[in-house]
Amino acid sequence: DSYLIEITYKILAKPDDVTGEGYVVDYVLDKTGSKGTGRWTVQEAAEQSVAAPTLAAALDSRYISSRKEERVAASKVLDGPKETPNVSKFQIIEDLEAALYAAKICSYAQGMGLIKAASDSKDWNIDLSMCAKMWKGGCIIRAKLLDKIQAAFSSNPSLSNLMVDPAFATELNERSMAWRRIITLCVASGVSCPALCASLNYFDSYRRESLPANLTQAQRDFFGGHTYERIDREGPFHCAWTDAHKAIGDISERTAGEKATRD
């Protein structure tokens, strides 16, 4: 129950009105245009330090599609899988419905997270439940799912992320394996599914108490002396990782400079 799903059905079912053969969608050049709203959104997410991988994946897909001539040339030299898994159509449809729903929750979670971050930094006091209500009134992302989103933020205005709302958390957990099966099938079949993958990566990263980001921060300290925090004590630290590393002086001065840059 969403506007985009509804028009997708109508588009796929529309017979070609030029040749009278097949469907219109099969004659449309696979080269997506862009007016800039997606780029602005991803840029703002970076400015606010908010992860929006699903939104970025959708934007990247448009950019790749626009390089039609390059893709035609690449198709002649880059190979996909020679064999594809044999999976029942019923299972695919059932799993795809679950995967799409879960990915949409993640997409809305990222969008709401971006609005919340901007609101907090600018002291706008935006009511996220009202955002969901307004979108139901008439825009391309209107969907029945917004009823649940509105209810989630009405119940808990300080909700840190839509995914941790009890109702949405349950739905995501219930669909997790179907979601993974669809993505696995796409990968094994050589079919790109950037938004579905980005959403699942977002979900898997957010649900983890610990991430391998400790290695990334250690690398930053190694090559740039950016310091790191420890799990066993307070304060910034720097390590002389090799004999070639030198002391970086007063750590507090360096971190103060980085903080000023961020602010």
Side-chain angles (χ1 to χ4, degrees), residues 72-132:
V72 170
S75 69
K76 297 177 173 56
V77 296
L78 301 178
D79 295 330
K82 301 299 182 184
E83 299 179 3
T84 57
N86 182 18
V87 182
S88 74
K89 182 178 179 180
F90 174 81
Q91 183 70 60
I92 292 175
I93 293 174
E94 190 175 63
D95 285 351
L96 186 58
E97 181 179 358
L100 176 60
Y101 184 77
K104 286 179 68 175
I105 293 174
C106 289
S107 180
Y108 278 110
Q110 293 163 38
M112 288 298 197
L114 175 54
I115 294 173
K116 182 179 187 300
S119 176
D120 290 345
S121 67
K122 304 293 184 180
D123 292 324
W124 288 338
N125 297 315
I126 293 177
D127 186 339
L128 296 180
S129 68
M130 289 304 296
C131 287

Side-chain angles (χ1 to χ4, degrees), residues 1 21 61 73 87 109 133 135 184 260:
D1 292 329
E21 298 179 3
S61 294
V87 182
K133 183 178 181 180
W135 292 338
T184 300

Side-chain angles (χ1 to χ4, degrees), residues 198-220:
S199 294
L200 182 58
N201 287 334
Y202 178 75
F203 171 80
D204 277 338
S205 294
Y206 197 81
R207 69 176 181 80
R208 290 289 303 274
E209 180 179 349
S210 298
L211 290 170
N214 54 336
L215 175 57
T216 303
Q217 190 59 26
Q219 290 174 324
R220 295 183 72 244

Side-chain angles (χ1 to χ4, degrees), residues 214-230 235-251 254-255:
N214 54 336
L215 175 57
T216 303
Q217 190 59 26
Q219 290 174 324
R220 295 183 72 244
D221 187 53
F222 186 106
F223 65 66
H226 294 292
T227 74
Y228 65 92
E229 295 177 279
R230 297 180 61 91
F237 290 84
H238 170 66
C239 178
W241 297 94
T242 69
D243 292 340
H245 283 85
K246 306 298 182 182
I248 63 173
D250 188 338
I251 293 179
R254 186 180 186 94
T255 54

